[in-house]
Amino acid sequence: METVNQLLDSIKDVGRDAVRGGYSRAVYSTPELDLRQWFIEQAQQRGLDVETDRNGIIWAWWGKPQDGALVTGSHLDSVPGGGAFDGPLGVASALAAVDILKSRSLNRGRSLAITVFPEEEGSRFGVACLGSRILTGAIHVDKALNLRDVDGDTFADVARSRGLDPRYVGHDPEALARIGDFVELHVEQGKGLGQSGPAIAVGSSILGHGRWKLSVSGQGNHAGTTLMADRADPMVAAAQIVVAVRDTAARQPDARATVGRLTPVPGGTNVIASRVDLWLDARHPDDAVTAQLIESIYAAAREIAASEGCTVTLTEESYSDTVHFDPGLSRRIAELLPGAPVLATGAGHDAGVLAGHVPSAMLFVRNPSGISHSPEEYVADEDASAGAVALADVLEGLL
């Protein structure tokens, strides 16, 4: 029986990013494929029956695949230069929880499955929780298949190269019916659990959040021959828009807004860009406030762009309303984990997408610094072990 820490240690060298630090495990990249194979082998070693469905979701079954099963799991892809725990902690904890349950000679009343969802982070194709969105029909299949990565490859092209048939990718009510309850364990991505006290919390809700693309267009030109007064430089406008995003969000209590990626076109050092694309992430507990926040940011961006002789467009790439996890399931989990605090989170998860279709819940494991999506993300060994035991206790109570 392997501990969570031993399982994570066995993949510690997969996808290390020598430039950014941490890990870069984009969906269907070599590192992420290696981790998928690692999971399949680990599941098979435990006697679980493994299948990959038509949307690339891996299912590892303890018992016969059936409707209404208890399902747990997470993801294995990462943000660029991410930490070691975001995603893999939930997968490794699910494997360890199965070991614990088998050691207890559990009498199961229904089947249990561990799932691994692809493209949870959206770091390759720009839409977070893409696998669970496709499964539930939360994204139209044509839009999903035509998403492109930075190399211009479509999701359909990449899926095909990895053995999936794009003709069969899409909403899958039959697979969704297999999930009677879904419980996802995840590293906490904030400071809610702090440095001391309980190491495990029960999730209550996920902030409404989305991603938008701002494209600022100006006049591409020569950096040496174009006088400063003659420029319509979208990079200058983009820089001001980044500051405006921060300032607009700071004026709204509980709002968060971030420009995490910016791409100039064509991107030469001695070239005034003709266009600059910025990707905006915005979140707030009240969906109406999020909408108002985006309107305010876009208004500021239009004003800034015009002042620099440029124009700007805004495109929504994805959006998820604020999610409140199933109260009955969360209440039952709280009974199984007495003393565990209840926490809301500002981070999106596959459990949040599934929550609109099946009873879903989350467990969070302490991250002492609260730093996530960074190489500094951290979970102590004893807290990881406590998380696996807590997950096993929850699964046993629900089974």
Side-chain angles (χ1 to χ4, degrees), residues 277-288:
D277 295 329
L278 304 87
W279 282 266
L280 167 68
D281 179 297
R283 309 175 187 231
H284 190 276
D286 186 330
D287 299 323

Side-chain angles (χ1 to χ4, degrees), residues 251-269:
R251 290 193 293 268
Q252 177 62 57
D254 295 325
R256 301 101 193 260
T258 307
V259 175
R261 181 157 65 104
L262 183 152
T263 302
V265 179
T269 303

Side-chain angles (χ1 to χ4, degrees), residues 225-238:
T225 62
T226 309
L227 298 177
M228 301 305 289
D230 294 338
R231 300 184 178 203
D233 188 344
M235 184 64 83
V236 175

Side-chain angles (χ1 to χ4, degrees), residues 128-140:
C129 301
L130 183 60
S132 54
R133 287 179 189 272
I134 294 174
L135 167 68
T136 59
I139 183 172
H140 193 280

Side-chain angles (χ1 to χ4, degrees), residues 29-381:
S29 66
T30 298
E32 199 259 359
L33 290 171
D34 288 346
L35 291 186
R36 289 167 68 88
Q37 185 59 38
W38 164 82
F39 170 74
I40 290 170
E41 292 171 358
Q42 288 291 333
Q44 290 173 337
Q45 288 173 20
R46 288 161 173 79
L48 307 184
D49 295 323
V50 182
E51 60 177 316
T52 301
D53 70 17
R54 58 189 172 94
N55 290 315
I57 301 167
I58 304 174
W59 301 73
W61 287 93
W62 185 16
K64 181 181 178 181
Q66 61 182 209
D67 288 356
L70 177 59
V71 182
T72 187
S74 194
H75 62 98
L76 292 169
D77 64 300
S78 77
V79 297
F85 301 93
D86 183 356
L89 178 68
V91 175
S93 296
L95 292 167
V98 167
D99 290 340
I100 294 169
L101 292 177
K102 287 190 172 185
S103 73
R104 296 176 181 176
S105 301
L106 177 66
N107 231 344
R108 291 178 292 109
R110 57 175 170 161
S111 294
L112 172 70
I114 303 174
T115 53
V116 174
F117 288 96
E119 185 68 327
E120 193 269 357
E121 297 292 2
S123 60
R124 182 165 187 176
F125 292 102
V127 176
C129 301
L130 183 60
S132 54
R133 287 179 189 272
I134 294 174
L135 167 68
T136 59
I139 183 172
H140 193 280
V141 64
D142 289 340
K143 178 179 179 180
L145 291 173
N146 286 291
L147 293 170
R148 292 183 182 272
D149 63 15
V150 294
D151 296 320
D153 296 323
T154 66
F155 178 69
D157 292 336
V158 174
R160 186 182 295 108
S161 72
R162 301 310 181 192
L164 299 178
D165 190 332
R167 293 176 300 173
Y168 302 115
V169 169
H171 182 207
D172 192 344
E174 291 80 12
L176 191 58
R178 293 175 169 183
I179 306 175
D181 298 290
F182 183 75
V183 180
E184 180 174 5
L185 179 145
H186 205 278
V187 59
E188 192 204 349
Q189 295 173 288
K191 298 181 179 180
L193 283 166
Q195 302 275 343
S196 60
I200 312 300
V202 180
S204 62
S205 60
I206 296 176
L207 289 185
H209 59 283
R211 298 182 183 188
W212 292 262
K213 180 181 178 181
L214 288 157
S215 290
V216 188
S217 297
Q219 178 59 62
N221 215 328
H222 194 292
T225 62
T226 309
L227 298 177
M228 301 305 289
D230 294 338
R231 300 184 178 203
D233 188 344
M235 184 64 83
V236 175
Q240 295 176 62
I241 289 170
V242 171
V243 176
V245 166
R246 180 201 63 184
D247 293 347
T248 304
R251 290 193 293 268
Q252 177 62 57
D254 295 325
R256 301 101 193 260
T258 307
V259 175
R261 181 157 65 104
L262 183 152
T263 302
V265 179
T269 303
N270 60 344
V271 179
I272 300 169
S274 58
R275 189 181 81 245
V276 177
D277 295 329
L278 304 87
W279 282 266
L280 167 68
D281 179 297
R283 309 175 187 231
H284 190 276
D286 186 330
D287 299 323
V289 174
T290 304
Q292 293 167 5
L293 178 65
I294 296 303
E295 288 179 9
S296 297
I297 288 172
Y298 190 29
R302 291 196 301 269
E303 184 177 340
I304 290 167
S307 72
E308 296 294 336
C310 300
T311 60
V312 62
T313 60
L314 176 73
T315 305
E316 180 183 301
E317 295 198 332
S318 66
Y319 186 75
S320 297
D321 292 338
T322 293
V323 170
H324 297 278
F325 290 117
D326 185 83
L329 180 59
S330 296
R331 185 164 52 250
R332 177 66 177 135
I333 290 174
E335 292 170 353
L336 293 166
L337 300 176
V342 176
L343 290 180
T345 181
H349 301 282
D350 291 308
V353 175
L354 294 174
H357 305 269
V358 299
S360 300
M362 291 195 72
L363 302 180
F364 297 119
V365 179
R366 176 171 34 228
N367 177 3
S369 68
I371 295 174
S372 188
H373 281 186
S374 162
E376 298 170 68
E377 182 179 84
Y378 178 69
V379 174
D381 289 354

